Amino acid sequence: LTDAEWHALAPILAALGCGLSAGPRAGRPAADPRARLDAIFRAVTLKHPEGGRAPWRLLPEAFGKADTASRTHRRWARAGLWAR
């Protein structure tokens, strides 16, 4: 994401409670929401060599763990982010 794109999307993520809480939370620190959003955008645009969308597991390692990206995608879907 460019800085301009991130500045446009960050308030939406915060309003929906998608990883941009104002205060500290208990437990392990959350992954960077901007990096997670980058990973999700990359994963959902990956093409499978045989056609169609590639599975999450083919997300390049540079974007972090595929299971983290897919879990975040599902959480944010339940929060209504993609519909908004």
Side-chain angles (χ1 to χ4, degrees), residues 24-36:
R25 51 174 253 197
R28 185 174 38 177
D32 174 31
R34 182 176 179 171
R36 286 186 285 167

Side-chain angles (χ1 to χ4, degrees), residues 55-70:
W56 287 96
R57 64 181 164 75
L58 294 182
L59 181 69
E61 287 183 22
F63 289 94
K65 294 182 179 180
D67 63 329
T68 300
S70 66

